[in-house]
Amino acid sequence: MKRSFLLMAAALFSTGALAQSIWKLDKANAHLTFSIKHLAVSSVDGTFKDFDASISASKADFSDAKFSFKANAASVNTDNQKRDADLKSPNFFNAAKYPAVTFKSTSIKPASSANHYVVTGDLTITGVTKPTTLQLWYRGTKAHGASFQVTGTVKRSDYHFGSKYGSPMMGDDVSFKAAGEFAKTN
């Protein structure tokens, strides 16, 4: 009887220790920005106004985290209505046909600095999915939640994004930065 109790207690403790925590983005404390070279001498910066993300992890340091992200392509904003309309058109995002930009992580590995990770996953833009590597900084956890910053660079040509615009008009590299706070839901 005592042995059965100990086995049950060990099983319950093991299950609890490995339980996945789900973290949802606090949209009021988050942003997603991007930048691309324009005419080889300047840059165009923008944001997505509508996006969401979630994290699942069983470890307190998020070293086993799985990240999921989705941005509404039609929410792209560069503070220029004509440019924004073009970005939403078939020339770029084709938001009517491909309404979402998504990312789902497939692995996470520690980087050289504490609380920094390399996250690999599948990024989908305009219906094209490619493996992508991102830099993640776990900024810590406080009473209100956990904070993260993600940076990366993708080649627009990999996603047939703005194909009719050559490199003199706009660069191939698009850099982005996302940062936000996440609240634990379970």
Side-chain angles (χ1 to χ4, degrees):
M1 178 75 129
K2 185 176 180 182
R3 182 181 170 141
S4 295
F5 176 75
L6 289 174
L7 287 173
M8 279 183 29
L12 286 173
F13 177 74
S14 296
T15 302
L18 297 176
Q20 291 289 312
S21 295
I22 306 298
W23 299 75
K24 295 300 251 174
L25 182 66
D26 175 0
K27 293 181 186 183
N29 293 299
H31 67 271
L32 172 60
T33 62
F34 63 89
S35 183
I36 186 168
K37 198 176 276 188
H38 182 249
L39 297 175
V41 293
S42 66
S43 64
V44 170
D45 302 322
T47 63
F48 287 89
K49 297 294 187 183
D50 181 16
F51 61 95
D52 203 0
S54 65
I55 302 168
S56 65
S58 62
K59 295 182 179 178
D61 67 355
F62 293 91
S63 61
D64 67 340
K66 297 211 179 282
F67 296 85
S68 177
F69 166 85
K70 182 178 180 180
N72 177 353
S75 74
V76 66
N77 183 323
T78 63
D79 290 328
N80 180 303
Q81 289 181 349
K82 186 176 177 183
R83 180 186 301 125
D84 293 347
D86 196 26
L87 285 170
K88 296 172 192 178
S89 79
N91 290 332
F92 291 96
F93 283 109
N94 199 357
K97 185 174 181 180
Y98 304 108
V101 174
T102 63
F103 176 80
K104 290 189 185 235
S105 68
T106 55
S107 74
I108 183 169
K109 295 180 180 163
S112 58
S113 302
N115 295 327
H116 286 76
Y117 298 93
V118 176
V119 177
T120 303
D122 295 323
L123 177 65
T124 302
I125 303 173
T126 64
V128 177
T129 302
K130 297 275 186 181
T132 302
T133 300
L134 309 173
Q135 305 304 311
L136 172 75
W137 176 23
Y138 165 48
R139 299 175 79 169
T141 302
K142 299 288 183 191
H144 63 279
S147 178
F148 296 88
Q149 178 177 296
V150 176
T151 58
T153 301
V154 296
K155 295 207 174 289
R156 67 181 176 91
S157 57
D158 287 348
Y159 299 92
H160 313 293
F161 186 83
S163 300
K164 75 178 199 175
Y165 298 98
S167 59
M169 179 72 151
M170 60 193 308
D172 195 29
D173 292 340
V174 180
S175 61
F176 62 91
K177 176 178 152 184
E181 296 174 12
F182 288 76
K184 190 173 179 182
T185 63
N186 65 339

